[in-house]
């Protein structure tokens, strides 16, 4: 499969890379990491990353401006995106050929060529795996900038190597990437330093979360709370793991109200939660998923179902 992807890439002059909406470090790491590899390996090709920019990831990269005309005859590669609804920039349909590279469950088998590896810690790890194949078969090159974003993607999706998805291969990949010339301290500062208002909101979360005797927990962050602390809905993504430090917790939900929906961010230390997320139009990994509801009554329904999962 990797060789097929490499052969397909070599056949196209223009390559446009997509990832999922509301991107996280792995979405940026895998898409921009692949872009940097292809720029270094094929200097004459036109390689772009499209999608709406996430300000909290400005320390990593910025997407390109891609015109409608550039999609004509282009190879489209979508990384780290389980289903078509979550692909950022729906112009992906306008290309000539579509490749999916992902590590989520393959519930939506879209694309002309699919490479899905649910055992990989991250899509960024998969992109490095693809690079190694390309290095041996097609003299692919990896720049320092590419290594930096791939490393960030792996760190982000493994929770700094603490999640169970971290494997020996993950550590081997990270070990290879840190041989490149980039400042890890500066990178970690970009990933984990937060403004004081966000820390204040984290304190609010610790003070107001609810946990039952079975280890099921939740906290609700209405719009007025976000406004009170001066925090945007996207910035709260940095706080989703906060409750993981609570002794006795099994799984938790952080509800973030936006103007048109209530974001449901689920995390778990054991109970499988992605099937619950799918019931509300979402999905993800067994221990890290997301969905949306549109009123607080439905949010309470999700809480009740999480309680049942943790019994």
């Amino acid at each position: 499969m990797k060789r097929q992807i490499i052969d397909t890439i070599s056949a196209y002059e223009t390559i446009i890379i997509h990832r999922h909406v509301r991107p996280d470090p792995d979405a940026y790491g895998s898409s921009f990491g692949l872009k940097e590899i292809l720029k270094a390996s094929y200097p004459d090709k036109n390689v772009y990353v499209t999608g709406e920019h996430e300000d909290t990831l400005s320390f990593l990269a910025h997407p390109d401006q891609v015109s409608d005309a550039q999609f004509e005859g282009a190879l489209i590669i979508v990384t780290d995106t389980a289903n078509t609804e979550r692909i950022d920039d729906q112009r992906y349909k306008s290309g000539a050929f579509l490749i999916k590279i992902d590590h989520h469950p393959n519930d939506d088998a879209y694309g002309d060529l699919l490479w899905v590896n649910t055992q990989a810690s991250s899509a960024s790890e998969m992109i490095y795996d693809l690079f190694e194949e390309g290095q041996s078969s097609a003299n692919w090159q990896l720049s320092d900038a590419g290594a930096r974003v791939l490393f960030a993607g792996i760190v982000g999706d493994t929770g700094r190597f603490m999640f169970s998805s971290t494997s020996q291969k993950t550590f081997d990949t990270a070990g290879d990437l840190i041989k490149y010339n980039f400042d890890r301290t500066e990178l970690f500062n970009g990933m984990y330093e937060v403004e004081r208002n966000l820390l204040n909101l984290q304190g609010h979360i610790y003070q107001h979360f609810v946990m039952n005797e079975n280890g099921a927990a939740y906290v609700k962050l209405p719009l007025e709370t976000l406004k009170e602390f001066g925090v945007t809905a996207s910035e709260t993504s940095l706080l989703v793991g906060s409750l993981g430090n609570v002794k006795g917790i099994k799984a938790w939900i952080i509800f973030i109200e936006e103007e048109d929906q209530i974001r449901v961010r689920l995390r778990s230390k054991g109970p499988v939660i992605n099937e619950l997320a799918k019931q509300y139009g979402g999905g993800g990994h067994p221990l890290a998923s997301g969905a949306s509801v549109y009123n607080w009554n439905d949010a309470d329904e999700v809480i009740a179902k999480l309680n049942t999962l943790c019994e």
Side-chain angles (χ1 to χ4, degrees), residues 115-126:
W115 178 32
V116 176
N117 179 10
T118 57
Q119 301 304 307
S121 71
S122 55
S124 296
E125 181 180 310
M126 294 179 67

Side-chain angles (χ1 to χ4, degrees), residues 151 154 161 169-179:
F151 183 78
I154 292 170
F161 307 104
K169 184 173 179 58
T170 309
F171 282 115
D172 290 343
T173 299
D176 288 342
L177 289 171
I178 63 173
K179 296 173 185 176

